[in-house]
Amino acid sequence: MLVHGQDAITVSNAGRILRSWETNIGGLNWETSLDTGSFQTASLVGLQDTVKYVAVLKKAAISLHYLSNGHLKWVEYLPESESTRYQLLYSRGTGVIHVLGIVPQSHLSVLTFSVEDGEITEQTKVAAPWLKSLNGACSVVGEAVLVCADVDTHSLYVCSLETEQEMKQIPLQSLDLEFADGFQPRVLATQPNLINASRTQFFLQLSPTHFSLLQYKHGLLSHLRDFQQAALVSFATTGEKTVAAVLTCRSELKPVNSDDLYAGNALEDSQKQESLTCSNQTYNINLYLVETGQRLLDTTITFNLEHNGAKPEQLYIQVFLKKDDSVGYRALVQTEDHMLMFLQQPGKVLWSREESLAEVVSLEMVDLPLTGAQAELEGEFGKKADGLLGMFLKRLSSQLILLQAWTAHLWKMFYDARKPRSQIKNEINIDNLARDEFNLQKMMVMVTASGKLFGIESSSGTILWKQYLRNVRPGASFKLMVQRTTAHFPHPPQCTLLVKDKETKMSFLYVFNPIFGKRSQVAPPVLKREILQTLLLPIMDQDYAKVLLLIDDEYKVTAFPATKNVLRQLEEIAHSIFFYLVDAEQGRLSGFRLKKDLTTEEIWEVFISPEVQKIVAVKGKRSNEHVHSQGRVMGDRSVLYKSLNPNLLAVVTESTDTHHERTFVGIYLIDGVTGRIIHSSVQKKAKGPVHMVHSENWVVYQYWNTKARRNEFTVLELYEGTEQYNATAFSSLDRPLLPQVLQQSYIFPSAISAMEATITERGITSRHLLIGLPSGAILSLPKALLDPRRPEIPTEQTREENLIPYSPDVQIHAERFINYNQTVSQIRGIYTAPSGLESTCLVVAYGLDIYQTRVYPSKQFDVLKDDYDYVLISSVLFGLVFATMITKRLAQVKLLNRAWR
């Protein structure tokens, strides 16, 4: 991002979009598209004491745009771009732009472009056989002087881009400086003044914690100041003053304990050396004059980070002049877990943002724990081993505790009723977390791409805890599993996170309490091989934790927990445990079964030629899904039974040929136990991205029709027919007949960002599809609209069955948006969870924003309405009771009179 005055220039979307923003209000000034190519850097360009242009450097071209409107002034292609890597831009208001390229370990190529017409006015080559890259190792200071650091010769090399054609070597020993062993030094220069020469001062990073402020002026290199315990440095300019900001740790920077990094797993030595952190997580920011290195008094900002949090990664300084001409400033600190903090003196946090929540990759909702009173009620009668007297005393003490809690609740209600509503605080924190009556409030456990975990209370969105896993590399994959819920009091709930490194393919487990965010005392197994698949089995250990099976690349199985009781249970049910593996690159799906000795055996394989089509998605059914009805009652009163195969896999493929006439999308329904292909179909002239939902006996997937140029849905439903083969149990090994497959397609008027189906506790409520649209809206679409049995011509039987007549178009009605005007930017996923009410489904949509709400697919049939007339019903009930009492008295009098006759 480049900032000049009230304009902020950004390059986004992988270097394809150039935008200008108004910094005061955040409005968009203009936007323009850039040519394709790998983006390198951008710079503001000044001319005749004003900044007029923005230069953008791509891998093979440089373009100049007007700062006022973004229009293109000129674009020029770079010579020898195949062998030369152009990486740096520099302009200082002299009417030219310098472009620096490098041929690694050979020479530098310096191109000088005219700002007016883009003509190359000068092209020189500078020998630099020791230089591998310009990024970080080189920077431009002063009047277009290139400064580079070489770790092998322990020297700095300088060269004037305008007057010299050779690099001048300056040994660091002359300044009593030395690079740390194994560290790649960096040169950090001030930002150019755009219309004047940039400062001659620059920072040289000698080690992870050692910076030196140097100056190169009139051909001489001088040392201004050393910073030994520095974590970050930055330059800032206001008016004529330029200052250097240095962020330092108040205690010594130390290597991170491996226990805090990977939850007990060993790290590579190189990672341990690079992982330095501040022991007390307290940092200072100080300002220094760049001309002398002198510290400015009364400019210290002191702030604290979380104890287990991340270290600072970037430092941005906003400098301004006070009325007395002294320097004031604010600081924006970005940590490696993507948290932003905006600070002002002497350390006040103006605001902070958890930007990692914009990259949620895994999410689970966990029931909140019982209250103290509810927990006492659970153990009210004690245990049989306590004896009769002990059980009686236990019940008596429980009743006293419940009475005390009820009295405290009544007193709080009476006390709060006397206060104004604005003074009543209902803040939610860890201490007062408790399950509500209908289990509508839950703990949302979120895992972000940066390796940070969050615990968020669903009803208010309050972040109750956060935990950062250090040294999780970019691109790592995560899988979050709930091994034990809060239902097994007094055992704490337990979640297990599997983290898999993208480069090394190595994995580790992190076990924690999802309610409090604390790391569990249970030690997970050390994983020495690449993990291919995980299975969460329904069997439990003696502490009610579900058993997690981990299958590595040698097809060996690791159980967690691995107690004797668990291993005995695994031996007993090993014959019924099957799993599958997918190799998308090879186009291979393999099925395995578990033996009693916990080894595996391959039992089937399906090969899909990767030369013709590639596997893009494999989806099974959710393990917590319940199906209430086994069939559908048709108009003639017969029953059409659903084919409810819990082992069914839906595999979606796309053609490798991208020509619009030959593209296709294929779907395979495969039994995960036997490998039997239940059904396959192909949508010709179609392509992705494909979004799919697999639930009960149906599959819905969406794709782009290249011929009609529109988005389409295709729905598949599987039925056994009017007779069930086995009404008591299902077995994939005993299914002689293939199910009947009904298929239908529909036109959808919009693209789709994410799609998921609603889920409820018992499966009685009708299903809806929740569709995230690019506009940020979330559409709740009844599954009945995507029924393949919708008739083209309605008959008496279809009307009896309430089937909607077939129409190819599925309309988007605004009243079906569940988020109203609360748009969710760039939706990446939708998560659904059941609540304690059968009518209610909890929904979380996540992208750049996070949105949580409740949906009622069949309306609230199990809850009284808000306008329910309690007074009328109560009056009627009291009237009936009173009438009953009077009638009873009259009947008694009548009987007595009859007896006296």
Side-chain angles (χ1 to χ4, degrees), residues 622 624-626 757-761 763 767-768 832-835 838 840-842 857:
R622 295 176 62 167
N624 62 339
E625 180 180 273
H626 291 85
T758 59
I759 185 172
T760 54
E761 194 168 9
R767 296 276 183 171
H768 277 209
T832 56
S835 68
E838 174 56 32
T840 306
C841 173
L842 305 178

Side-chain angles (χ1 to χ4, degrees), residues 434-633:
R435 189 182 309 175
D436 62 297
E437 187 176 358
F438 297 122
N439 201 14
L440 297 172
Q441 294 178 247
K442 291 180 182 283
M443 177 69 75
M444 299 190 299
V445 181
M446 296 186 178
V447 183
T448 63
S450 64
K452 194 166 188 178
L453 282 67
F454 291 88
I456 302 177
E457 199 276 326
S458 63
S459 64
S460 63
T462 306
I463 298 177
L464 298 179
W465 60 263
K466 43 195 171 184
Q467 188 71 32
Y468 178 61
L469 303 180
R470 299 179 184 275
N471 284 6
V472 173
R473 299 184 186 182
S477 57
F478 303 85
K479 186 171 183 180
L480 181 63
M481 295 152 285
V482 181
Q483 281 192 282
R484 184 170 54 225
T485 65
T486 54
H488 304 287
F489 181 83
H491 299 287
Q494 178 176 309
C495 279
T496 300
L497 178 66
L498 175 67
V499 184
K500 184 176 181 180
D501 191 274
K502 183 179 180 181
E503 298 177 4
T504 64
K505 305 297 183 183
M506 297 303 295
S507 305
F508 71 91
L509 294 175
Y510 179 73
V511 185
F512 63 98
N513 184 323
I515 302 300
F516 301 104
K518 296 180 180 178
R519 181 178 163 189
S520 176
Q521 300 297 323
V522 179
V526 177
L527 307 177
K528 299 181 180 179
R529 305 288 306 181
E530 178 187 354
I531 299 300
L532 301 180
Q533 183 65 287
T534 60
L535 290 176
L536 195 61
L537 301 181
I539 63 174
M540 300 181 180
D541 67 352
Q542 63 273 15
D543 294 329
Y544 303 99
K546 290 184 179 179
V547 177
L548 178 65
L549 287 189
L550 305 160
I551 298 95
D552 61 25
D553 55 357
E554 293 183 345
Y555 309 118
K556 293 181 179 178
V557 175
T558 303
F560 170 64
T563 61
K564 292 182 179 180
N565 181 32
V566 168
L567 297 177
R568 179 182 56 79
Q569 292 185 70
L570 284 176
E571 290 180 6
E572 293 176 356
I573 67 168
H575 65 279
S576 62
I577 297 178
F578 298 83
F579 62 91
Y580 68 93
L581 299 176
V582 180
D583 188 347
E585 294 182 358
Q586 302 295 327
R588 183 177 291 108
L589 290 90
S590 306
F592 296 80
R593 72 177 181 90
L594 189 66
K595 295 183 178 181
K596 288 189 175 182
D597 58 355
L598 298 187
T599 59
T600 59
E601 177 186 6
E602 184 175 349
I603 55 176
W604 61 266
E605 182 179 86
V606 174
F607 179 73
I608 299 174
S609 175
E611 297 178 358
V612 179
Q613 53 189 331
K614 57 185 178 180
I615 300 173
V616 295
V618 179
K619 198 163 188 179
K621 298 178 183 178
R622 295 176 62 167
S623 59
N624 62 339
E625 180 180 273
H626 291 85
V627 180
H628 175 69
S629 176
Q630 294 187 352
R632 296 179 60 171
V633 179

